[in-house]
Amino acid sequence: MITTVTLNASIDKAYHMEHEIVGGTVMRVARVANSAGGKGLNVARVARLCGSDVQATGLVGGFNGQYLEALAEADGIRSRFGHIAGETRSCVNILDPMFSSTEFLEPGPTVGVDEFEAYLAEFPSIIAGSDVVTLSGSLPAGVGKDSYQKLVRLALGEGKRVILDSSGEELRLGLEASPTMIKPNQDEIEALLGAMATAQDNVVTQARSLREDGVEQVVISLGKDGALLACEEGCFRAIPPKVKVANTVGCGDSMVAAFAVAFERAMAPREALAYAIAVASAAAMSPNTGEYDPADRDAIMSHVEVRAVG
Ligand SMILES: Nc1ncnc2c1ncn2[C@@H]1O[C@H](COP(=O)(O)OP(=O)(O)OP(=O)(O)O)[C@@H](O)[C@H]1O
Ligand SMILES: [Mg+2]
């Protein structure tokens, strides 16, 4: 089983508009789609579509929290969330013909120190039945920047493989706990290492330097240009075929999901990379975040080019 962690979860509300939005007026929404949101929930949905057993955890509260758990369960995802007093936030994405997407992200509740301590104490039992744990996204107010570091240590201590997909200080501190894998994109790696990471040689060097810090596998995702994986077996670059892109939001989450599935199925690194690229590219073809068509994945898989570099 795979456990995905979402500490700053939300009810994601997609407002589909027939007409372009006009500020300062009353607008009627043509169709609403609600989903259990936050990057970890995207990971959970995609891992489920890959055929894995998935459990979602993190922090939720109030009626929105209950609703989120019900939405996750409806998607075939078990929920094992810790409960807080604050109400889980909603995030609204307005999709209209003019601006395409306009997002309103609520700040979310502040988590009490005691609430997070209680969650940390429960965490080992929550992940007991899982092989892989993924940690994704931003942290809620009230928890320390070292929260991922603590969770990575707990999961590794329980013998789990851990994928950390975060950015900034959370990622930097998380690295000190040596997660099994990290998956920064180019912006995140540049922010982390403070250097331009555009030339392929630089990306290779940077991925390698992070391995020296104790991370077993470093993946740097490069959007439409694919991804790079540095691991014990070497450094591999994967280039996807050109696909018809519908929505690239959450493609990185799809990639994390695919690597979690690959760990669970004990795929060799080269195979895992090709699989992850195929899933992420298929996700780019899907209009809905956290979804892909397995037929697209299989069609792309045979056209992914993986070669050793550096
Ligand atoms: N335009 C695209 N065409 C094809 N594949 C894409 C495209 N954008 C992303 N992908 C696939 O998704 C993977 C991850 O994308 P990206 O590097 O944009 O992640 P990210 O910035 O972490 O995304 P997010 O955080 O929104 O989930 C890429 O390595 C690639 O396989
Ligand atoms: Mg990302």
Side-chain angles (χ1 to χ4, degrees):
M1 186 163 68
I2 294 164
T3 293
T4 69
V5 180
T6 314
L7 293 179
N8 208 3
S10 66
I11 299 291
D12 283 353
K13 302 175 84 68
Y15 285 1
H16 295 267
M17 313 296 291
E18 265 171 19
H19 307 288
E20 73 185 60
I21 51 173
V22 184
T25 67
V26 174
M27 304 286 320
R28 297 209 180 270
V29 177
R31 186 168 65 83
V32 182
N34 294 332
S35 59
K39 294 180 85 63
L41 270 311
N42 295 340
V43 175
R45 268 190 292 275
V46 171
R48 186 80 198 89
L49 280 174
C50 291
S52 287
D53 250 359
V54 185
Q55 165 179 279
T57 184
L59 299 168
V60 294
F63 290 113
N64 268 350
Q66 285 177 29
Y67 184 34
L68 186 142
E69 291 177 295
L71 287 170
E73 299 268 354
D75 282 336
I77 299 158
R78 284 179 224 193
S79 72
R80 266 305 289 280
F81 283 88
H83 296 99
I84 57 171
E87 184 80 22
T88 289
R89 64 187 177 146
S90 297
C91 292
V92 178
N93 186 8
I94 302 175
L95 302 149
D96 77 325
M98 176 73 180
F99 300 103
S100 170
S101 167
T102 307
E103 287 192 273
F104 293 85
L105 310 179
E106 289 185 16
T110 299
V111 177
V113 174
D114 296 354
E115 289 176 325
F116 193 60
E117 286 300 320
Y119 181 68
L120 286 176
E122 212 198 337
F123 193 64
S125 73
I126 292 173
I127 62 172
S130 292
D131 309 296
V132 189
V133 176
T134 70
L135 305 158
S136 311
S138 60
L139 293 172
V143 310
K145 296 273 186 205
D146 60 352
S147 297
Y148 282 141
Q149 184 187 96
K150 289 178 177 168
L151 290 167
V152 170
R153 288 218 166 98
L154 284 172
L156 291 175
E158 298 296 313
K160 313 300 176 191
R161 315 205 87 188
V162 185
I163 306 179
L164 174 61
D165 182 18
S166 189
S167 57
E169 193 64 359
E170 294 91 309
L171 172 60
R172 201 185 62 71
L173 291 169
L175 274 173
E176 290 178 17
S178 301
T180 318
M181 174 182 278
I182 57 169
K183 192 229 65 70
N185 61 23
Q186 273 193 295
D187 289 345
E188 290 159 351
I189 197 98
E190 282 168 24
L192 185 67
L193 296 173
M196 290 304 287
T198 42
Q200 187 184 300
D201 277 358
N202 274 343
V203 186
V204 174
T205 316
Q206 296 184 333
R208 284 223 178 97
S209 75
L210 287 167
R211 276 204 74 234
E212 280 157 22
D213 291 341
V215 182
E216 207 176 296
Q217 301 197 12
V218 176
V219 176
I220 301 176
S221 66
L222 307 164
K224 66 174 172 25
D225 297 323
L228 181 102
L229 165 66
C231 58
E232 203 188 341
E233 288 80 354
C235 211
F236 303 100
R237 174 74 201 271
I239 299 167
K242 216 172 158 41
V243 297
K244 197 162 177 286
V245 173
N247 170 24
T248 61
V249 177
C251 278
D253 305 332
S254 309
M255 179 163 254
V256 167
F259 274 115
V261 171
F263 275 144
E264 198 188 27
R265 296 181 191 166
M267 287 186 203
R270 267 185 105 113
E271 186 194 354
L273 180 60
Y275 181 72
I277 287 280
V279 169
S281 300
M285 294 172 72
S286 164
N288 301 323
T289 302
E291 267 182 41
Y292 77 92
D293 183 342
D296 289 334
R297 173 198 63 202
D298 295 342
I300 294 165
M301 186 83 182
S302 53
H303 297 287
V304 179
E305 187 192 329
V306 178
R307 58 169 188 258
V309 288

